[in-house]
Amino acid sequence: MNGEQEDIPPIRVKGLRTAFGEKVIHEDLDLEVRRGEILGVVGGSGTGKSVLLNTVLGLKHPDGGRVEILGRDIESDDAQAWVGRHVGVMFQQGALFSFLTVQENVEAPLIEHARLPLAVTADIARLKIRLSGLPETAGKLRPSELSGGMRKRAGVARALALDPQILFLDEPTAGLDPIGASEFDELVRTLRDALGLTVFIITHDLDTLYAICDRVAVLADRKVVAVAPVEELERSDHPWIRSYFLGPRGRAAHAGKER
C-alpha cells in the first residue's frame, strides 16, 4: 500500500442526511474514521446507529451528503461489489445461514468473490474459524448447535473470510455474559493488532468502550456531536454524554478499567 492510499481515511462521511419519509434521522452528519483504530459508535434510542451503519455499508441510500469507503463513493456503480470484497460485517446474532454449517458459512463469501479452488477455499475457511477463537470442530456444526457467543465468533470468521481492511460489528457483545463479553472484546483487539484492521463498532456496552475503543463517536441531535477518546468525553458538557459516561454504569465501567 503506498503512502497516498494510507492517507485516505477508511471511512469518511460528509454532510450525511438520512430520512424515512418526513422523519429525518440524520442531518449534516460528518464522521471520519482513522486507519487502524477501533471506533465505537453510541447514541440514545432513535438516534439512528443502525441506520448509519446500513448507510455506510451502502444498504440504505443516503438522502444527502456523501459516504466513502477507502476513498470510493458508495453510490458509484460498482460500489457494492467492491465493498463486499474489502469490508467484513458481523450483524447481531452473527446473521449466519441457518441451513449451512459454520465451515460452509465462512466459505460462502470466498466462493462468491474469490473463485479459488475448493480445497484452498476450505483451508482458508478453517484458518478463519481458528482466528475467531473457535475450535476447528465447530466448522461441522450448524448455527442452531452453537451457543450465542460461538455464533458471534462464527460471524466474525465469516466477516474475515476475504481479508477485509475494515470490520463492522453491530452490538457484538449484546446477550453475552460479562466473561464472554470481555473475551470477545479481547478477540477484537487481538484481531485489530494482528491483521491491521480498522474496526467500526455499534455498541451500548460501556465496558467495550472503555476496554478497547480508541475513540467513541456520539450520535445525538441528528448528527455526530463528538468524536474522542472516552477520557475526553467524560469531560464533555453535552447533557446526553454526561449522563451516559458519568452515570452509575459509566462510573462502574471507568472503575473497572482502572483496576
Side-chain angles (χ1 to χ4, degrees):
M1 186 176 293
N2 61 40
E4 183 179 353
Q5 289 174 315
E6 290 177 352
D7 290 339
I8 298 174
I11 303 169
R12 178 186 283 149
V13 182
K14 188 68 177 176
L16 179 67
R17 185 179 195 273
T18 61
F20 293 96
E22 296 183 356
K23 183 175 177 59
V24 177
I25 307 300
H26 303 127
E27 187 74 74
D28 199 26
L29 184 153
D30 295 335
L31 177 63
E32 193 168 290
V33 182
R34 298 170 181 167
R35 188 174 299 277
E37 76 172 335
I38 299 177
L39 179 82
V41 178
V42 301
S45 177
T47 55
K49 299 183 292 296
S50 293
V51 174
L52 176 61
L53 174 64
N54 290 335
T55 306
V56 170
L57 290 172
L59 301 177
K60 181 188 183 332
H61 292 293
D63 297 285
R66 182 181 176 90
V67 178
E68 295 177 0
I69 297 288
L70 298 167
R72 182 167 300 210
D73 186 346
I74 62 162
E75 292 290 280
S76 60
D77 291 341
D78 60 346
Q80 279 304 292
W82 188 86
V83 167
R85 293 193 299 271
H86 293 82
V87 163
V89 187
M90 191 211 79
F91 291 105
Q92 289 190 50
Q93 306 305 321
L96 301 167
F97 297 117
S98 61
F99 55 90
L100 299 179
T101 65
V102 170
Q103 174 82 17
E104 291 166 341
N105 266 282
V106 180
E107 289 175 353
L110 289 161
I111 292 171
E112 179 180 359
H113 293 288
R115 303 186 184 279
L116 298 168
L118 291 181
V120 175
T121 296
D123 286 343
I124 292 173
R126 283 192 286 269
L127 172 63
K128 303 304 182 179
I129 290 169
R130 291 196 298 272
L131 276 176
S132 73
L134 290 172
E136 189 171 329
T137 53
K140 299 177 182 179
L141 303 177
R142 297 186 188 278
S144 61
E145 300 175 281
L146 303 176
S147 67
M150 292 178 73
R151 280 196 298 273
K152 289 176 184 288
R153 288 174 182 267
V156 169
R158 188 176 67 181
L160 294 175
L162 293 168
D163 295 327
Q165 296 183 47
I166 308 172
L167 178 63
F168 290 87
L169 303 173
D170 186 14
E171 297 286 5
T173 59
L176 298 182
D177 62 68
I179 294 175
S182 178
E183 291 175 345
F184 195 93
D185 286 342
E186 187 59 35
L187 170 67
V188 172
R189 178 162 49 196
T190 298
L191 290 172
R192 187 277 304 271
D193 293 345
L195 304 178
L197 297 169
T198 299
V199 185
F200 183 104
I201 304 179
I202 301 288
T203 187
H204 66 275
D205 190 331
L206 280 155
D207 289 330
T208 295
L209 300 176
Y210 276 91
I212 64 170
C213 290
D214 298 298
R215 294 190 302 156
V216 177
V218 181
L219 292 179
D221 310 322
R222 298 182 177 177
K223 61 186 65 178
V224 174
V225 295
V227 188
V230 171
E231 293 77 9
E232 291 184 26
L233 294 177
E234 291 177 334
R235 300 192 292 270
S236 172
D237 292 329
H238 191 281
W240 189 89
I241 296 176
R242 290 187 61 81
S243 175
Y244 190 73
F245 287 100
L246 299 181
R249 291 189 176 184
R251 291 196 298 271
H254 177 90
K257 184 180 181 183
E258 296 279 306
R259 287 199 294 271

